[in-house]
Amino acid sequence: MSEKPETHTADAVRESFHRQQVMHLIKASMPVVERGRTEIHLPHWQGVEQQHGFVHGGVVGMIADSAAGFAAMTVAPENASVLTVEYKLNLVAPAQGEKLIARGKVVRPGRTLVVTTAEVYAVADGRETLCALMQQTIMIVTNRAER
Amino acid sequence: MSEKPETHTADAVRESFHRQQVMHLIKASMPVVERGRTEIHLPHWQGVEQQHGFVHGGVVGMIADSAAGFAAMTVAPENASVLTVEYKLNLVAPAQGEKLIARGKVVRPGRTLVVTTAEVYAVADGRETLCALMQQTIMIVTNRAER
Amino acid sequence: MSEKPETHTADAVRESFHRQQVMHLIKASMPVVERGRTEIHLPHWQGVEQQHGFVHGGVVGMIADSAAGFAAMTVAPENASVLTVEYKLNLVAPAQGEKLIARGKVVRPGRTLVVTTAEVYAVADGRETLCALMQQTIMIVTNRAER
Amino acid sequence: MSEKPETHTADAVRESFHRQQVMHLIKASMPVVERGRTEIHLPHWQGVEQQHGFVHGGVVGMIADSAAGFAAMTVAPENASVLTVEYKLNLVAPAQGEKLIARGKVVRPGRTLVVTTAEVYAVADGRETLCALMQQTIMIVTNRAER
């Protein structure tokens, strides 16, 4: 019957990422964008540390939230925006090492709500350790609804 | 029988805040530290924005997480650290305006786990609007356990 | 411009509660229904216990989820249903005593999503002890959307 | 140095399940208990329904919470109990069909805290549909601490 609308291209998702000033501030990049999943990488540098020299849990949450949100964007119609409704993050190990990798993925795409998860790994000497686990609800807002 | 240990002083909590590099990076301050509650303030500036010009939800989460975590620190023994076990954040309105105020408070202090909540308000023209609501679990780790 | 639609009456909310078979199964009642808040009461009886003789955490979650969901229903249009999108529950003390009281309330009513909280208290010898804290997202689904 | 303590046997976990009165009340069973994972099955019957004839979201939460909690018990020392600290549940589809299967698993076993997840599937005509997703924190309490 009705054609399924086109979803955002990987380029459109990358452009949206680049318009997030705070991703530049923390020096994050998003080298992976595929249908239903993304990866955000963050080098460990002094500016994102908490008092023990690990990456701050709030920064871990920020890249988890974003990785999963952009994963949701890859399954949303190209004329729609995605908003984080809520997320829940467990921090399971200190975020230490040379860099962090946040992997976001879509678990259940809906027309209005998309449920996603993200895992954040700390990389030290090439070995990955799980440091956080997130479950998130994203809302798809069409242009119409936005005005 | 046993004396109740002294908890962290407001000064000790403020010093811990100042050792969090990322709070300087995002230009956050913590003007309020009282027993069981704190406030973190964040000016709205370009560096913390997402693609629509609002403060990034991950930054909202970061100041909520920290405000509630430091509130927990005010009820923890002075020889103990506090770690975020997990938090859950609902973003209920865009974080727009001149600044954000995150108010963290202790709901249920335990010996090992402390349950806290935080509310984040956006301030525009002197009027506060609730923009986020958080529920969090904090773990108290004594020196002994840390080594 | 457009008239604001009527919301569900307290009677309509009570009827919806009574159609939930499982509330009869666990012997729960809902003596309080006001705009934006409800109370569900649960006597402590053997059928709802876990292995230590306390009320099962899942039952605590069930009455918290329902109390807050029905609170959301009181602010939803009368031709709309409410669905639980997600909830997060902290169990902060054993659910012991003669009965439990779950108090649900609306924190942020939206057109599509409503954010609520609930607190569950255990009552022993007339004294209430907080035993659980919940934060929840509810979706309002209009008749149109349901079909 | 110190020997690693024995963990609960599958039989001990099953016995604990059987001591939960509420599992009998809702007619749940736990046919699968392995190291780090369990399954709880629930037939769809009238007693566990909500107002639309689906299984109540609180019941979905109850079997998810229990499945993951018992998964945590399989990795806990045999002289220790497990307590749910908190859980967060997304309900992603109506719980309809002949029965529900909740699959709990340990994601990150710690000495004090264990992080788990659960997925709940609705089974209709032999086909499984994901209806809920949970993320949970469990605390291990040794005998000593309990007294």
Side-chain angles (χ1 to χ4, degrees), chain C residues 85-100:
Chain C
V85 172
E86 58 84 36
Y87 63 92
K88 181 256 198 284
L89 181 83
N90 273 77
L91 297 164
V92 302
Q96 50 192 145
E98 298 104 49
K99 71 168 173 175
L100 300 184

Side-chain angles (χ1 to χ4, degrees), chain D residues 26-72:
Chain D
I26 63 172
K27 304 187 196 262
S29 60
M30 187 168 66
V32 178
V33 180
E34 296 172 5
R35 185 167 176 80
R37 73 179 203 89
T38 73
E39 271 187 22
I40 292 180
H41 291 202
L42 181 80
H44 186 144
W45 64 289
Q46 206 186 5
V48 294
E49 290 180 351
Q50 34 86 296
Q51 69 274 32
H52 303 296
F54 305 136
V55 178
H56 193 278
V59 176
V60 174
M62 197 190 309
I63 62 173
D65 171 32
S66 292
F70 284 116

Side-chain angles (χ1 to χ4, degrees), chain B residues 19-145:
Chain B
R19 282 194 297 271
Q20 296 201 333
Q21 296 290 339
V22 75
M23 291 296 143
H24 300 284
L25 184 70
I26 63 172
K27 303 187 198 263
S29 60
M30 188 168 66
V32 179
V33 179
E34 295 172 6
R35 189 171 172 79
R37 74 180 204 87
T38 72
E39 271 187 21
I40 291 180
H41 291 204
L42 181 80
H44 186 144
W45 63 288
Q46 205 186 5
V48 294
E49 291 181 350
Q50 34 83 297
Q51 69 274 31
H52 303 297
F54 305 137
V55 178
H56 192 278
V59 176
V60 173
M62 195 190 310
I63 61 173
D65 170 31
S66 292
F70 284 117
M73 191 178 171
T74 68
V75 302
E78 60 181 351
N79 66 342
S81 302
V82 294
L83 291 179
T84 300
V85 172
E86 59 85 35
Y87 62 91
K88 181 259 200 286
L89 181 84
N90 273 77
L91 296 164
V92 302
Q96 50 193 145
E98 299 103 49
K99 70 167 174 177
L100 300 184
I101 299 178
R103 297 194 173 96
K105 72 169 184 198
V106 172
V107 173
R108 213 274 181 174
R111 218 173 9 145
T112 308
L113 297 178
V114 178
V115 177
T116 64
T117 57
E119 293 176 344
V120 183
Y121 293 87
V123 186
D125 300 326
R127 258 177 37 108
E128 296 190 359
T129 306
L130 181 69
C131 64
L133 196 67
M134 191 200 69
Q135 191 169 316
Q136 183 193 49
T137 309
I138 291 285
M139 188 170 193
I140 294 180
V141 183
T142 60
N143 283 355
R144 210 171 297 255

Side-chain angles (χ1 to χ4, degrees), chain A residues 106-118:
Chain A
V106 171
V107 175
R108 212 273 183 174
R111 218 174 9 145
T112 308
L113 297 179
V114 178
V115 176
T116 64
T117 56

Side-chain angles (χ1 to χ4, degrees), chain A residues 16 19-23 25 46-47 49 51 56 58-59 62 65-66 85-91, chain B residues 16 19-23 25 46-47 49 51 56 58-59 62 65-66 84-91:
Chain A
S16 181
R19 282 194 297 270
Q20 295 202 334
Q21 295 290 339
V22 76
M23 291 296 144
L25 183 70
Q46 205 187 5
E49 290 181 350
Q51 69 273 32
H56 192 278
V59 176
M62 195 189 310
D65 170 31
S66 292
V85 171
E86 58 84 38
Y87 62 92
K88 181 259 200 283
L89 181 84
N90 274 76
L91 296 164
Chain B
S16 181
R19 282 194 297 271
Q20 296 201 333
Q21 296 290 339
V22 75
M23 291 296 143
L25 184 70
Q46 205 186 5
E49 291 181 350
Q51 69 274 31
H56 192 278
V59 176
M62 195 190 310
D65 170 31
S66 292
T84 300
V85 172
E86 59 85 35
Y87 62 91
K88 181 259 200 286
L89 181 84
N90 273 77
L91 296 164

Side-chain angles (χ1 to χ4, degrees), chain B residues 8-19 33 73:
Chain B
H8 289 277
T9 61
D11 277 352
V13 175
R14 273 186 217 106
E15 274 163 35
S16 181
F17 178 86
H18 285 297
R19 282 194 297 271
V33 179
M73 191 178 171

